[in-house]
Amino acid sequence: MGGPCKWDSKLPKIIQGGMSAGVSGWELAREVSSNGQLGVVAGTALGTTLIRRLNNGDLGGELRDSLAEFPDQKIADKIKNDYFIKGGKSGEQRYQNTLSTKFKTQNNTISLKDKNLENLIVAANFVEVNLAKKGHNNPVGINYLHKIRWPLLPSIYGAMLAGVDFILIGAGFAAELPKVIENLSIRERATTLLQNINYSFIFNPNTISNTPKNLEAPKFLAIVSNHLGARAVSNADGFIFENYIAGGHNPPAREKELTEKGEPNYGIKDEMNYPLLESFLNRNAKINGLVQPYWLAGGYANKLNEALKKGAEGIQVGTPFAFCQESRIKPTLKQEVLERISNDNANVYTDPRASPTGFPFKVLQIPGTISSKDIYNSRKRHCDLGYLNQFYVENGIIKTRCPADNIKNYIRNGGKVEDTEGRKCICNALISTIGLGYPEEPPIVTAGSDLSTVKTLSKEKRNYTSKNVIDYILK
């Protein structure tokens, strides 16, 4: 972005984790930012969740009000006309499908065939950030997974149109992000490379009407596991170092052998080397003029002072916010989780097979969810959302497959049967977790290994709020 990163004098002590597929919605992010910390919305599957919330009737009217502020009103009107159901759909009625994720290629570039889907993605990200920023003047961030590449560029542009202040990206090394942000901020096309097939996704912001020629460039925080990750994304404005006890996706362990419980065997090689980190940051500051603050994550909710002593600006906290009042986890499911945590009857398993990404994924073992073997085995395997699809080239044609899909389909598309073992459709499962799934789709609950802060908060007040979390951390 053309020079040293300039930071405001006051940086947040707390970054609220951007728990994906809607757990961290605008309601939670707005409340956290209103209380002086960095609220973060989840940027995954926002097109799908916008459709389904409009199908449910948008009872408070916030979604339609926000769409009324979207720069391209033709796009906004089409979305409302296509998906809004006055009073909400009936109980038996199915949600409308997200538009087809088919792709076209030209000169080693990939773009969505369906322009309406691209427009929906831009508008959905705009809406989520726009609503999170209302009622206060503090920064707001959005979190993406680098593994989910195909909607990334229009998603970022939609968030930027709404004035997002921070873009947080993990599950991969997004070294191209500074150039992407720079291009989008001046309404130029942006690209992101899929290295395994040597094709680049491309997005042209000029296809959205009435957008500003110049947008404020948000800061890019790379979510990585340790000092080695920082070297891989050396041009980030700052870092969030998320260790392997954090919830959601975790980095692969350096040790390939699993533990006796079948979990990744994390060890000393996976830990942060702070002297090497300091040396790298000092060198980057001297050579490139970059000032790169960082935050620590993964079990730090009660260790803010420890993080500050290690040189961090503060901490990122996910799990305690995931189960607060303002998160979108279904209330009945949330209450069962809190009951189990309070009674020391909650077990978090780091599943090396669950995620189609190939990254380990933490799963809270809860009856009635896809963590149950019986429920996992009884679910009919299929892939209808496609966020975690793998891309490959066959006879010069771009195709996709997912190891959590129907096994015959996956093998027919060139996949190996061993890759399907234990894979879970976390796209559908996470959307079910926030109450927007189909009845036949079981939810999945992810959480960090350290549940002690949640236990303390829920014992003091079972339905605790995001402000209770902030007050607990800062006490």
Side-chain angles (χ1 to χ4, degrees):
M1 294 189 291
C5 171
K6 295 181 180 178
W7 288 91
D8 296 331
S9 58
K10 186 178 180 182
L11 295 173
K13 288 282 194 297
I14 302 168
I15 296 176
Q16 165 244 311
M19 289 82 73
S20 282
V23 172
S24 298
W26 62 263
E27 303 93 336
L28 174 57
R30 179 194 288 181
E31 192 65 21
V32 172
S33 288
S34 295
N35 282 286
Q37 305 305 321
L38 182 60
V40 179
V41 297
T44 302
L46 285 177
T48 298
T49 57
L50 177 61
I51 288 174
R52 296 188 180 189
R53 288 189 287 161
L54 287 171
N55 282 181
N56 283 341
D58 184 25
L59 299 183
E62 296 94 348
L63 304 178
R64 285 167 290 155
D65 288 345
S66 185
L67 283 169
E69 298 180 39
F70 187 65
D72 192 326
Q73 280 300 290
K74 286 186 178 179
I75 292 174
D77 287 343
K78 180 170 177 53
I79 291 170
K80 287 183 283 188
N81 291 335
D82 287 351
Y83 302 115
F84 172 65
I85 299 175
K86 187 175 182 180
K89 70 178 187 65
S90 66
E92 309 82 38
Q93 190 176 357
R94 304 284 285 183
Y95 286 114
Q96 290 173 261
N97 290 328
T98 307
L99 298 164
S100 173
T101 52
K102 300 293 184 182
F103 303 90
K104 60 182 180 181
T105 60
Q106 183 178 6
N107 300 327
N108 285 85
T109 63
I110 311 172
S111 57
L112 282 162
K113 276 188 176 179
D114 194 331
K115 190 63 188 175
N116 289 326
L117 175 55
E118 188 173 86
N119 293 341
L120 172 70
I121 293 168
V122 176
N125 280 262
F126 172 89
V127 165
E128 204 70 18
V129 174
N130 174 264
L131 289 172
K133 289 181 72 71
K134 289 188 178 299
H136 63 89
N137 295 313
N138 296 321
V140 164
I142 191 165
N143 179 284
Y144 298 111
L145 297 179
H146 199 239
K147 281 282 188 181
I148 305 180
R149 200 75 61 84
W150 64 264
L152 184 60
L153 299 178
S155 296
I156 290 173
Y157 189 60
M160 289 176 63
L161 286 174
V164 74
D165 302 280
F166 289 84
I167 292 176
L168 294 67
I169 300 188
F173 301 130
E176 79 277 17
L177 251 290
K179 183 62 176 176
V180 165
I181 291 171
E182 179 181 18
N183 283 9
L184 294 179
S185 70
I186 55 175
R187 215 164 61 194
E188 291 186 0
R189 75 174 197 168
T191 61
T192 176
L193 177 66
L194 266 182
Q195 290 181 325
N196 66 306
I197 60 173
N198 201 32
Y199 276 73
S200 294
F201 287 104
I202 187 169
F203 171 71
N204 182 2
N206 287 291
T207 60
I208 310 295
S209 299
N210 302 318
T211 56
K213 176 62 178 175
N214 294 289
L215 292 170
E216 188 72 26
K219 293 181 174 62
F220 162 44
L221 300 183
I223 304 174
V224 294
S225 58
N226 54 35
H227 57 289
L228 297 174
R231 292 173 66 92
V233 201
S234 60
N235 56 352
D237 292 322
F239 301 99
I240 296 172
F241 292 111
E242 189 175 273
N243 66 37
Y244 50 80
I245 74 166
H249 285 93
N250 298 139
R254 300 284 291 279
E255 174 63 55
K256 300 308 176 187
E257 295 293 325
L258 301 177
T259 68
E260 291 181 359
K261 293 182 178 179
E263 297 179 292
N265 191 12
Y266 294 106
I268 190 67
K269 292 181 180 179
D270 301 292
E271 302 285 351
M272 174 77 83
N273 185 317
Y274 284 98
L276 284 180
L277 173 65
E278 183 179 3
S279 174
F280 164 73
L281 294 178
N282 287 339
R283 183 174 180 273
N284 226 14
K286 183 177 180 180
I287 295 175
N288 300 315
L290 293 174
V291 177
Q292 296 168 299
Y294 62 90
W295 290 257
L296 300 182
Y300 276 93
N302 54 7
K303 299 176 183 176
L304 174 59
N305 288 334
E306 178 182 323
L308 296 176
K309 289 178 182 177
K310 289 179 176 178
E313 292 292 333
I315 57 177
Q316 177 186 266
V317 176
T319 299
F321 285 114
F323 302 109
C324 75
Q325 277 187 29
E326 295 91 347
S327 91
R328 287 194 190 142
I329 294 177
K330 288 190 296 187
T332 53
L333 181 57
K334 190 186 298 184
Q335 286 306 306
E336 179 173 0
V337 170
L338 291 173
E339 187 73 28
R340 286 178 168 272
I341 292 174
S342 295
N343 295 325
D344 294 320
N345 189 28
N347 175 44
V348 177
Y349 178 69
T350 306
D351 193 329
R353 302 291 304 173
S355 175
T357 64
F359 282 24
F361 189 78
K362 282 201 166 50
V363 181
L364 196 56
Q365 306 299 292
I366 302 290
T369 70
I370 206 168
S371 66
S372 165
K373 287 186 178 179
D374 289 342
I375 290 177
Y376 169 71
N377 290 331
S378 65
R379 177 188 178 270
K380 184 178 180 180
R381 293 177 69 124
H382 68 109
C383 178
D384 60 346
L385 295 178
Y387 288 102
L388 293 174
N389 269 338
Q390 302 169 351
F391 285 77
Y392 67 102
V393 182
E394 184 177 270
N395 299 323
I397 300 172
I398 296 290
K399 295 186 176 181
T400 62
R401 61 184 175 228
C402 178
D405 193 6
N406 176 279
I407 294 175
K408 289 183 179 179
N409 287 345
Y410 185 69
I411 295 172
R412 188 183 304 117
N413 290 326
K416 298 178 181 179
V417 66
E418 55 265 31
D419 293 339
T420 68
E421 183 181 350
R423 300 298 187 196
K424 296 176 172 63
C425 181
I426 60 175
C427 294
N428 274 299
L430 286 170
I431 289 174
S432 291
T433 300
I434 61 172
L436 293 177
Y438 293 119
E440 69 272 16
E441 292 291 357
I444 191 170
V445 181
T446 183
S449 299
D450 183 2
L451 301 173
S452 60
T453 298
V454 176
K455 181 177 180 179
T456 298
L457 288 165
S458 63
K459 281 195 171 182
E460 292 177 358
K461 182 181 179 183
R462 179 53 53 89
N463 293 309
Y464 66 87
T465 67
S466 58
K467 188 175 187 308
N468 295 144
V469 179
I470 293 169
D471 290 343
Y472 172 83
I473 294 170
L474 296 178
K475 67 180 180 182

